Amino acid sequence: MLMGVFGAILPRFVLLVGWVNDPNAWTSLFGAPVWFLFGFLFFPWTTLVYGFVALNGMSFINWIFVAAALLIDLGTWGIGASATRQQVSSYRGT
């Protein structure tokens, strides 16, 4: 459980610190603050990795890193959905 909380909070904290320190760089990277906000809320690992690798240009290896981060984000959503489904299916009601 601790790893889940750590994995959910860490990328958002790093993104928040990065945004506070240099908002112009993040705005120029994503074009509009709404994309950064969307990434912050729903795909934090992908947003964080893209922010690190896009500064040097997007080569093939950089896209592999972004795809791996996307899989981590999707896995987080899938684990949450699976856990919720298991709790609901075992509910007996009153």
Side-chain angles (χ1 to χ4, degrees):
M1 180 168 159
L2 184 60
M3 288 301 291
V5 171
F6 181 72
I9 292 176
L10 179 68
R12 289 178 176 94
F13 176 75
V14 173
L15 285 170
L16 187 62
V17 169
W19 176 264
V20 169
N21 285 329
D22 195 4
N24 292 332
W26 288 96
T27 302
S28 67
L29 185 63
F30 289 104
V34 69
W35 290 114
F36 178 80
L37 181 63
F38 178 76
F40 179 84
L41 293 175
F42 299 110
F43 296 106
W45 284 109
T46 306
T47 305
L48 181 63
V49 169
Y50 181 77
F52 283 137
V53 300
L55 299 174
N56 298 328
M58 292 303 292
S59 65
F60 181 72
I61 191 73
N62 289 348
W63 281 114
I64 290 175
F65 285 127
V66 171
L70 180 63
L71 289 175
I72 292 170
D73 283 330
L74 292 175
T76 304
W77 283 98
I79 289 170
S82 174
T84 303
R85 186 174 336 125
Q86 289 175 355
Q87 286 178 352
V88 171
S89 66
S90 65
Y91 179 71
R92 300 284 182 217
T94 54

